[in-house]
Amino acid sequence: MIFDVAGPQERGRWTGLLQTWFFFGAASTALLSGFLTDQLGYGMALWLGAALTTAGGLVALFLLPETRPPAHGGAATAEAASSEPMPASRGGLWAAHALYGVGRFIGSGVLSAVTGLVVQAQMQPAAVLVGGVATLTGLLSARRTLCSMAAAPVAGTLSDRLAGRWRVTGWATCAGVAGFLLMVWGASGAVAGVLVASAATGGMESLATALTGDLAGPRQRGRAIGLLHTAGDLGSAVGPAAAFALLPWLDLRGVYLACAGIMAVSLAPAMYFGVRERRVRHPSGSPPASS
């Protein structure tokens, strides 16, 4: 729906804000569900969740306007279509989906699964000061979510202003590699590494969503977004299992290095399509001189 109403020049910012609300919803649900279960019981908490979901569905059904343009919308539709960039190769679309999957694999998968182990293995003195491993794990998880929330709209807005979505994606991916290398460094870099990697994955997810809107034609965006989120759900589901499967063989630092390697490999398509993006915008090889 955002792709229907937001043009290419503002798509990154709006998808970034959408991703911020996604992170907020995930974090607040985790917090509130435990509280409601303790106060109301498991069954009543589930009924309350079902009632809120039904209310949201009814609001969407009766109050949400249709945003998709009609199949034969005349001059207005033709004008809107002409403002869209020409869809790039399918390779770019698949690369955006893969980057979204990697972001969810790392952020919602591996980092979520090993945060407690990071605290236990590398941050025991700090855990004692704040009241225990579980407390510090909760605090670190909350900060991790906040970093992802903040990075998503910043990355999207930056990609709008620079007119270089793939370039900013490459920067976010590099930040992810740096974050995991900080975690490998030891206890002194563990917190900074977790937060940097979380910000990087938040930016990657936001930018991959915006790229999907750029690269898919107006009539294919629904399917493209479905595939994007399928890749994301797959990544977040496989991430914890992969992390715990590797732990007996590689230990925590080995898992960090594996994640850094995955992020480094993900940098290749971002760089390749970034070069293509720049060539399309500046065919002569240099940006036009400012007047």
Side-chain angles (χ1 to χ4, degrees):
M1 294 177 68
I2 285 177
F3 297 158
D4 291 339
V5 299
Q9 294 78 16
E10 56 180 1
R11 188 172 288 147
R13 178 169 66 94
W14 285 108
T15 54
L17 291 172
L18 174 69
Q19 202 68 32
T20 294
W21 282 105
F22 168 80
F23 289 128
F24 175 77
S28 59
T29 298
L31 212 61
L32 285 173
S33 59
F35 173 77
L36 291 173
T37 300
D38 288 340
Q39 298 298 315
L40 305 176
Y42 189 67
M44 186 58 68
L46 284 176
W47 277 111
L48 181 59
L52 290 172
T53 302
T54 302
L58 291 174
V59 169
L61 179 63
F62 292 109
L63 299 180
L64 196 63
E66 180 57 61
T67 59
R68 192 179 188 212
H72 302 287
T77 303
E79 182 180 357
S82 67
S83 67
E84 291 288 335
M86 290 296 292
S89 66
R90 282 189 183 178
L93 195 56
W94 285 112
H97 290 173
L99 285 167
Y100 190 84
V102 167
R104 293 290 299 276
F105 175 87
I106 298 292
S108 302
V110 176
L111 282 177
S112 294
V114 304
T115 298
L117 297 177
V118 172
V119 172
Q120 191 171 5
Q122 297 179 277
M123 302 168 62
Q124 281 284 2
V128 172
L129 291 175
V130 300
V133 170
T135 300
L136 186 55
T137 300
L139 290 171
L140 187 56
S141 296
R143 290 184 180 182
R144 200 168 55 77
T145 303
L146 287 174
C147 283
S148 295
M149 288 174 62
V154 170
T157 302
L158 189 60
S159 73
D160 287 338
R161 293 184 177 178
L162 295 179
R165 216 135 5 233
W166 282 112
R167 188 181 359 162
V168 181
T169 302
W171 295 345
T173 308
C174 287
V177 175
F180 279 104
L181 292 180
L182 280 172
M183 294 168 70
V184 173
W185 192 8
S188 57
V191 174
V194 168
L195 298 183
V196 169
S198 298
T201 57
M204 288 172 64
E205 292 175 38
S206 169
L207 292 164
T209 305
L211 281 166
T212 300
D214 292 341
L215 300 173
R219 299 295 164 190
Q220 290 77 44
R221 283 177 183 158
R223 181 176 59 182
I225 282 293
L227 290 172
L228 180 81
H229 286 284
T230 297
D233 290 341
L234 180 63
S236 60
V238 171
F244 285 117
L246 290 175
L247 274 172
W249 303 90
L250 300 180
D251 69 35
L252 266 178
R253 291 191 177 185
V255 172
Y256 303 157
L257 284 173
C259 289
I262 292 171
M263 297 287 272
V265 170
S266 301
L267 183 59
M271 292 176 64
Y272 172 74
F273 287 105
V275 170
R276 288 186 57 181
E277 178 181 59
R278 185 172 179 82
R279 286 177 179 171
V280 168
R281 295 186 182 280
H282 309 298
S284 63
S286 61
S290 59
S291 55

PDB file of all heavy atoms in Angstrom, residues 23 26 103-118 137 141 144-145 148 180 183 194 198 201 236 239-240 243-244:
ATOM      1  N   PHE A  23       9.122  -3.163  14.221  1.00  0.00           N
ATOM      2  CA  PHE A  23       9.991  -3.467  15.355  1.00  0.00           C
ATOM      3  C   PHE A  23       9.315  -3.101  16.679  1.00  0.00           C
ATOM      4  O   PHE A  23       9.420  -3.825  17.671  1.00  0.00           O
ATOM      5  CB  PHE A  23      11.318  -2.723  15.224  1.00  0.00           C
ATOM      6  CG  PHE A  23      12.219  -3.249  14.137  1.00  0.00           C
ATOM      7  CD1 PHE A  23      12.750  -2.394  13.183  1.00  0.00           C
ATOM      8  CD2 PHE A  23      12.538  -4.583  14.066  1.00  0.00           C
ATOM      9  CE1 PHE A  23      13.579  -2.862  12.189  1.00  0.00           C
ATOM     10  CE2 PHE A  23      13.368  -5.079  13.069  1.00  0.00           C
ATOM     11  CZ  PHE A  23      13.890  -4.210  12.127  1.00  0.00           C
ATOM     12  N   ALA A  26       6.689  -5.741  17.531  1.00  0.00           N
ATOM     13  CA  ALA A  26       7.287  -6.990  17.996  1.00  0.00           C
ATOM     14  C   ALA A  26       7.802  -6.864  19.424  1.00  0.00           C
ATOM     15  O   ALA A  26       7.602  -7.754  20.260  1.00  0.00           O
ATOM     16  CB  ALA A  26       8.420  -7.393  17.055  1.00  0.00           C
ATOM     17  N   GLY A 103      18.909 -10.177   6.599  1.00  0.00           N
ATOM     18  CA  GLY A 103      18.670  -9.281   7.728  1.00  0.00           C
ATOM     19  C   GLY A 103      17.838  -9.929   8.813  1.00  0.00           C
ATOM     20  O   GLY A 103      18.146  -9.812  10.007  1.00  0.00           O
ATOM     21  N   ARG A 104      16.773 -10.639   8.421  1.00  0.00           N
ATOM     22  CA  ARG A 104      15.936 -11.311   9.408  1.00  0.00           C
ATOM     23  C   ARG A 104      16.655 -12.521  10.018  1.00  0.00           C
ATOM     24  O   ARG A 104      16.488 -12.825  11.201  1.00  0.00           O
ATOM     25  CB  ARG A 104      14.619 -11.748   8.757  1.00  0.00           C
ATOM     26  CG  ARG A 104      13.710 -10.603   8.340  1.00  0.00           C
ATOM     27  CD  ARG A 104      13.098  -9.883   9.539  1.00  0.00           C
ATOM     28  NE  ARG A 104      12.276 -10.771  10.342  1.00  0.00           N
ATOM     29  CZ  ARG A 104      11.003 -11.064  10.081  1.00  0.00           C
ATOM     30  NH1 ARG A 104      10.413 -10.543   9.011  1.00  0.00           N
ATOM     31  NH2 ARG A 104      10.324 -11.864  10.870  1.00  0.00           N
ATOM     32  N   PHE A 105      17.446 -13.230   9.206  1.00  0.00           N
ATOM     33  CA  PHE A 105      18.226 -14.366   9.701  1.00  0.00           C
ATOM     34  C   PHE A 105      19.169 -13.912  10.815  1.00  0.00           C
ATOM     35  O   PHE A 105      19.277 -14.560  11.865  1.00  0.00           O
ATOM     36  CB  PHE A 105      19.011 -14.984   8.546  1.00  0.00           C
ATOM     37  CG  PHE A 105      19.947 -16.095   8.947  1.00  0.00           C
ATOM     38  CD1 PHE A 105      19.505 -17.401   9.020  1.00  0.00           C
ATOM     39  CD2 PHE A 105      21.273 -15.831   9.249  1.00  0.00           C
ATOM     40  CE1 PHE A 105      20.367 -18.426   9.390  1.00  0.00           C
ATOM     41  CE2 PHE A 105      22.151 -16.846   9.623  1.00  0.00           C
ATOM     42  CZ  PHE A 105      21.694 -18.153   9.693  1.00  0.00           C
ATOM     43  N   ILE A 106      19.843 -12.775  10.560  1.00  0.00           N
ATOM     44  CA  ILE A 106      20.810 -12.270  11.538  1.00  0.00           C
ATOM     45  C   ILE A 106      20.111 -11.619  12.726  1.00  0.00           C
ATOM     46  O   ILE A 106      20.394 -11.945  13.887  1.00  0.00           O
ATOM     47  CB  ILE A 106      21.758 -11.248  10.877  1.00  0.00           C
ATOM     48  CG1 ILE A 106      22.564 -11.901   9.745  1.00  0.00           C
ATOM     49  CG2 ILE A 106      22.686 -10.623  11.907  1.00  0.00           C
ATOM     50  CD1 ILE A 106      23.563 -12.916  10.180  1.00  0.00           C
ATOM     51  N   GLY A 107      19.185 -10.686  12.445  1.00  0.00           N
ATOM     52  CA  GLY A 107      18.591  -9.887  13.518  1.00  0.00           C
ATOM     53  C   GLY A 107      17.563 -10.638  14.333  1.00  0.00           C
ATOM     54  O   GLY A 107      17.709 -10.791  15.559  1.00  0.00           O
ATOM     55  N   SER A 108      16.498 -11.116  13.679  1.00  0.00           N
ATOM     56  CA  SER A 108      15.431 -11.802  14.399  1.00  0.00           C
ATOM     57  C   SER A 108      15.777 -13.246  14.708  1.00  0.00           C
ATOM     58  O   SER A 108      15.128 -13.868  15.547  1.00  0.00           O
ATOM     59  CB  SER A 108      14.139 -11.771  13.569  1.00  0.00           C
ATOM     60  OG  SER A 108      13.754 -10.448  13.293  1.00  0.00           O
ATOM     61  N   GLY A 109      16.788 -13.787  14.011  1.00  0.00           N
ATOM     62  CA  GLY A 109      17.169 -15.174  14.223  1.00  0.00           C
ATOM     63  C   GLY A 109      18.357 -15.332  15.148  1.00  0.00           C
ATOM     64  O   GLY A 109      18.214 -15.582  16.344  1.00  0.00           O
ATOM     65  N   VAL A 110      19.549 -15.146  14.608  1.00  0.00           N
ATOM     66  CA  VAL A 110      20.768 -15.434  15.364  1.00  0.00           C
ATOM     67  C   VAL A 110      20.921 -14.527  16.576  1.00  0.00           C
ATOM     68  O   VAL A 110      21.141 -15.002  17.710  1.00  0.00           O
ATOM     69  CB  VAL A 110      21.994 -15.325  14.443  1.00  0.00           C
ATOM     70  CG1 VAL A 110      23.282 -15.516  15.254  1.00  0.00           C
ATOM     71  CG2 VAL A 110      21.923 -16.355  13.332  1.00  0.00           C
ATOM     72  N   LEU A 111      20.822 -13.207  16.383  1.00  0.00           N
ATOM     73  CA  LEU A 111      21.043 -12.299  17.509  1.00  0.00           C
ATOM     74  C   LEU A 111      20.017 -12.507  18.621  1.00  0.00           C
ATOM     75  O   LEU A 111      20.365 -12.470  19.802  1.00  0.00           O
ATOM     76  CB  LEU A 111      21.015 -10.847  17.022  1.00  0.00           C
ATOM     77  CG  LEU A 111      22.280 -10.341  16.323  1.00  0.00           C
ATOM     78  CD1 LEU A 111      22.083  -8.916  15.823  1.00  0.00           C
ATOM     79  CD2 LEU A 111      23.482 -10.407  17.252  1.00  0.00           C
ATOM     80  N   SER A 112      18.755 -12.705  18.250  1.00  0.00           N
ATOM     81  CA  SER A 112      17.734 -12.961  19.272  1.00  0.00           C
ATOM     82  C   SER A 112      18.039 -14.233  20.045  1.00  0.00           C
ATOM     83  O   SER A 112      17.831 -14.304  21.261  1.00  0.00           O
ATOM     84  CB  SER A 112      16.356 -13.078  18.618  1.00  0.00           C
ATOM     85  OG  SER A 112      15.957 -11.850  18.064  1.00  0.00           O
ATOM     86  N   ALA A 113      18.552 -15.245  19.348  1.00  0.00           N
ATOM     87  CA  ALA A 113      18.804 -16.532  19.996  1.00  0.00           C
ATOM     88  C   ALA A 113      20.013 -16.496  20.919  1.00  0.00           C
ATOM     89  O   ALA A 113      20.017 -17.148  21.974  1.00  0.00           O
ATOM     90  CB  ALA A 113      18.993 -17.604  18.928  1.00  0.00           C
ATOM     91  N   VAL A 114      21.057 -15.754  20.539  1.00  0.00           N
ATOM     92  CA  VAL A 114      22.309 -15.836  21.295  1.00  0.00           C
ATOM     93  C   VAL A 114      22.532 -14.667  22.242  1.00  0.00           C
ATOM     94  O   VAL A 114      23.569 -14.639  22.912  1.00  0.00           O
ATOM     95  CB  VAL A 114      23.523 -15.963  20.337  1.00  0.00           C
ATOM     96  CG1 VAL A 114      23.358 -17.142  19.408  1.00  0.00           C
ATOM     97  CG2 VAL A 114      23.760 -14.682  19.565  1.00  0.00           C
ATOM     98  N   THR A 115      21.595 -13.720  22.324  1.00  0.00           N
ATOM     99  CA  THR A 115      21.820 -12.560  23.202  1.00  0.00           C
ATOM    100  C   THR A 115      22.080 -12.991  24.636  1.00  0.00           C
ATOM    101  O   THR A 115      22.993 -12.487  25.307  1.00  0.00           O
ATOM    102  CB  THR A 115      20.617 -11.598  23.140  1.00  0.00           C
ATOM    103  OG1 THR A 115      20.470 -11.105  21.810  1.00  0.00           O
ATOM    104  CG2 THR A 115      20.825 -10.421  24.077  1.00  0.00           C
ATOM    105  N   GLY A 116      21.292 -13.932  25.142  1.00  0.00           N
ATOM    106  CA  GLY A 116      21.501 -14.422  26.501  1.00  0.00           C
ATOM    107  C   GLY A 116      22.856 -15.083  26.673  1.00  0.00           C
ATOM    108  O   GLY A 116      23.522 -14.917  27.713  1.00  0.00           O
ATOM    109  N   LEU A 117      23.292 -15.812  25.662  1.00  0.00           N
ATOM    110  CA  LEU A 117      24.598 -16.462  25.724  1.00  0.00           C
ATOM    111  C   LEU A 117      25.727 -15.437  25.667  1.00  0.00           C
ATOM    112  O   LEU A 117      26.762 -15.618  26.303  1.00  0.00           O
ATOM    113  CB  LEU A 117      24.737 -17.458  24.569  1.00  0.00           C
ATOM    114  CG  LEU A 117      23.748 -18.627  24.565  1.00  0.00           C
ATOM    115  CD1 LEU A 117      23.952 -19.485  23.324  1.00  0.00           C
ATOM    116  CD2 LEU A 117      23.909 -19.467  25.829  1.00  0.00           C
ATOM    117  N   VAL A 118      25.517 -14.370  24.892  1.00  0.00           N
ATOM    118  CA  VAL A 118      26.515 -13.293  24.843  1.00  0.00           C
ATOM    119  C   VAL A 118      26.711 -12.694  26.227  1.00  0.00           C
ATOM    120  O   VAL A 118      27.835 -12.488  26.693  1.00  0.00           O
ATOM    121  CB  VAL A 118      26.080 -12.202  23.843  1.00  0.00           C
ATOM    122  CG1 VAL A 118      27.003 -10.985  23.929  1.00  0.00           C
ATOM    123  CG2 VAL A 118      26.070 -12.751  22.420  1.00  0.00           C
ATOM    124  N   THR A 137      20.104  -9.357  29.887  1.00  0.00           N
ATOM    125  CA  THR A 137      19.669  -9.840  28.576  1.00  0.00           C
ATOM    126  C   THR A 137      18.454  -9.054  28.093  1.00  0.00           C
ATOM    127  O   THR A 137      18.371  -8.666  26.918  1.00  0.00           O
ATOM    128  CB  THR A 137      19.328 -11.337  28.643  1.00  0.00           C
ATOM    129  OG1 THR A 137      20.495 -12.075  29.044  1.00  0.00           O
ATOM    130  CG2 THR A 137      18.856 -11.846  27.289  1.00  0.00           C
ATOM    131  N   SER A 141      18.399  -6.690  24.844  1.00  0.00           N
ATOM    132  CA  SER A 141      17.425  -6.964  23.786  1.00  0.00           C
ATOM    133  C   SER A 141      16.602  -5.713  23.472  1.00  0.00           C
ATOM    134  O   SER A 141      16.305  -5.428  22.302  1.00  0.00           O
ATOM    135  CB  SER A 141      16.503  -8.108  24.198  1.00  0.00           C
ATOM    136  OG  SER A 141      17.224  -9.307  24.357  1.00  0.00           O
ATOM    137  N   ARG A 144      18.745  -3.372  21.574  1.00  0.00           N
ATOM    138  CA  ARG A 144      18.918  -3.902  20.223  1.00  0.00           C
ATOM    139  C   ARG A 144      17.730  -3.521  19.339  1.00  0.00           C
ATOM    140  O   ARG A 144      17.880  -3.100  18.198  1.00  0.00           O
ATOM    141  CB  ARG A 144      19.054  -5.427  20.323  1.00  0.00           C
ATOM    142  CG  ARG A 144      19.689  -6.081  19.158  1.00  0.00           C
ATOM    143  CD  ARG A 144      20.047  -7.523  19.487  1.00  0.00           C
ATOM    144  NE  ARG A 144      18.906  -8.282  19.950  1.00  0.00           N
ATOM    145  CZ  ARG A 144      17.949  -8.770  19.172  1.00  0.00           C
ATOM    146  NH1 ARG A 144      18.008  -8.545  17.870  1.00  0.00           N
ATOM    147  NH2 ARG A 144      16.970  -9.466  19.664  1.00  0.00           N
ATOM    148  N   THR A 145      16.522  -3.655  19.893  1.00  0.00           N
ATOM    149  CA  THR A 145      15.318  -3.295  19.144  1.00  0.00           C
ATOM    150  C   THR A 145      15.271  -1.803  18.860  1.00  0.00           C
ATOM    151  O   THR A 145      14.900  -1.371  17.762  1.00  0.00           O
ATOM    152  CB  THR A 145      14.063  -3.726  19.921  1.00  0.00           C
ATOM    153  OG1 THR A 145      14.128  -5.133  20.169  1.00  0.00           O
ATOM    154  CG2 THR A 145      12.803  -3.416  19.141  1.00  0.00           C
ATOM    155  N   SER A 148      17.487  -0.978  15.942  1.00  0.00           N
ATOM    156  CA  SER A 148      16.864  -1.348  14.669  1.00  0.00           C
ATOM    157  C   SER A 148      15.768  -0.354  14.298  1.00  0.00           C
ATOM    158  O   SER A 148      15.639   0.045  13.129  1.00  0.00           O
ATOM    159  CB  SER A 148      16.276  -2.761  14.767  1.00  0.00           C
ATOM    160  OG  SER A 148      17.281  -3.724  14.960  1.00  0.00           O
ATOM    161  N   PHE A 180      29.775  -7.576  13.972  1.00  0.00           N
ATOM    162  CA  PHE A 180      30.136  -8.937  14.383  1.00  0.00           C
ATOM    163  C   PHE A 180      31.623  -9.065  14.663  1.00  0.00           C
ATOM    164  O   PHE A 180      32.028  -9.841  15.538  1.00  0.00           O
ATOM    165  CB  PHE A 180      29.680  -9.947  13.333  1.00  0.00           C
ATOM    166  CG  PHE A 180      28.224 -10.288  13.457  1.00  0.00           C
ATOM    167  CD1 PHE A 180      27.301  -9.766  12.572  1.00  0.00           C
ATOM    168  CD2 PHE A 180      27.769 -11.100  14.483  1.00  0.00           C
ATOM    169  CE1 PHE A 180      25.954 -10.060  12.699  1.00  0.00           C
ATOM    170  CE2 PHE A 180      26.419 -11.397  14.617  1.00  0.00           C
ATOM    171  CZ  PHE A 180      25.512 -10.887  13.721  1.00  0.00           C
ATOM    172  N   MET A 183      32.097  -7.998  18.141  1.00  0.00           N
ATOM    173  CA  MET A 183      31.697  -9.047  19.080  1.00  0.00           C
ATOM    174  C   MET A 183      32.786 -10.116  19.217  1.00  0.00           C
ATOM    175  O   MET A 183      32.995 -10.675  20.296  1.00  0.00           O
ATOM    176  CB  MET A 183      30.377  -9.674  18.624  1.00  0.00           C
ATOM    177  CG  MET A 183      29.209  -8.698  18.695  1.00  0.00           C
ATOM    178  SD  MET A 183      27.727  -9.285  17.850  1.00  0.00           S
ATOM    179  CE  MET A 183      27.226 -10.610  18.938  1.00  0.00           C
ATOM    180  N   VAL A 194      26.758  -5.843  19.234  1.00  0.00           N
ATOM    181  CA  VAL A 194      25.355  -6.244  19.143  1.00  0.00           C
ATOM    182  C   VAL A 194      24.507  -5.081  18.647  1.00  0.00           C
ATOM    183  O   VAL A 194      23.630  -5.249  17.787  1.00  0.00           O
ATOM    184  CB  VAL A 194      24.840  -6.743  20.508  1.00  0.00           C
ATOM    185  CG1 VAL A 194      23.324  -6.887  20.503  1.00  0.00           C
ATOM    186  CG2 VAL A 194      25.480  -8.082  20.854  1.00  0.00           C
ATOM    187  N   SER A 198      22.586  -4.823  15.064  1.00  0.00           N
ATOM    188  CA  SER A 198      21.132  -4.661  15.073  1.00  0.00           C
ATOM    189  C   SER A 198      20.711  -3.466  14.225  1.00  0.00           C
ATOM    190  O   SER A 198      19.725  -3.531  13.488  1.00  0.00           O
ATOM    191  CB  SER A 198      20.641  -4.487  16.512  1.00  0.00           C
ATOM    192  OG  SER A 198      20.930  -5.632  17.286  1.00  0.00           O
ATOM    193  N   THR A 201      21.008  -4.522  10.517  1.00  0.00           N
ATOM    194  CA  THR A 201      19.932  -5.373  10.004  1.00  0.00           C
ATOM    195  C   THR A 201      18.632  -4.586   9.860  1.00  0.00           C
ATOM    196  O   THR A 201      17.864  -4.812   8.917  1.00  0.00           O
ATOM    197  CB  THR A 201      19.709  -6.588  10.909  1.00  0.00           C
ATOM    198  OG1 THR A 201      19.422  -6.164  12.253  1.00  0.00           O
ATOM    199  CG2 THR A 201      20.940  -7.481  10.931  1.00  0.00           C
ATOM    200  N   SER A 236      14.196 -15.715   9.715  1.00  0.00           N
ATOM    201  CA  SER A 236      14.036 -15.620  11.170  1.00  0.00           C
ATOM    202  C   SER A 236      13.751 -16.973  11.800  1.00  0.00           C
ATOM    203  O   SER A 236      14.049 -17.193  12.974  1.00  0.00           O
ATOM    204  CB  SER A 236      12.914 -14.628  11.507  1.00  0.00           C
ATOM    205  OG  SER A 236      11.689 -15.053  10.945  1.00  0.00           O
ATOM    206  N   GLY A 239      17.322 -18.970  11.536  1.00  0.00           N
ATOM    207  CA  GLY A 239      18.427 -18.382  12.284  1.00  0.00           C
ATOM    208  C   GLY A 239      18.712 -19.012  13.637  1.00  0.00           C
ATOM    209  O   GLY A 239      19.850 -19.433  13.894  1.00  0.00           O
ATOM    210  N   PRO A 240      17.726 -19.118  14.546  1.00  0.00           N
ATOM    211  CA  PRO A 240      18.018 -19.710  15.854  1.00  0.00           C
ATOM    212  C   PRO A 240      18.480 -21.161  15.754  1.00  0.00           C
ATOM    213  O   PRO A 240      19.415 -21.573  16.446  1.00  0.00           O
ATOM    214  CB  PRO A 240      16.673 -19.610  16.589  1.00  0.00           C
ATOM    215  CG  PRO A 240      15.948 -18.509  15.906  1.00  0.00           C
ATOM    216  CD  PRO A 240      16.358 -18.584  14.472  1.00  0.00           C
ATOM    217  N   ALA A 243      22.057 -21.212  14.549  1.00  0.00           N
ATOM    218  CA  ALA A 243      23.000 -20.752  15.575  1.00  0.00           C
ATOM    219  C   ALA A 243      23.273 -21.846  16.603  1.00  0.00           C
ATOM    220  O   ALA A 243      24.436 -22.135  16.927  1.00  0.00           O
ATOM    221  CB  ALA A 243      22.439 -19.505  16.255  1.00  0.00           C
ATOM    222  N   PHE A 244      22.228 -22.477  17.112  1.00  0.00           N
ATOM    223  CA  PHE A 244      22.422 -23.504  18.138  1.00  0.00           C
ATOM    224  C   PHE A 244      23.021 -24.777  17.556  1.00  0.00           C
ATOM    225  O   PHE A 244      23.694 -25.532  18.266  1.00  0.00           O
ATOM    226  CB  PHE A 244      21.098 -23.797  18.835  1.00  0.00           C
ATOM    227  CG  PHE A 244      20.682 -22.711  19.793  1.00  0.00           C
ATOM    228  CD1 PHE A 244      19.526 -21.983  19.590  1.00  0.00           C
ATOM    229  CD2 PHE A 244      21.468 -22.397  20.893  1.00  0.00           C
ATOM    230  CE1 PHE A 244      19.155 -20.976  20.461  1.00  0.00           C
ATOM    231  CE2 PHE A 244      21.112 -21.384  21.780  1.00  0.00           C
ATOM    232  CZ  PHE A 244      19.949 -20.676  21.562  1.00  0.00           C
TER     233      PHE A 244
END
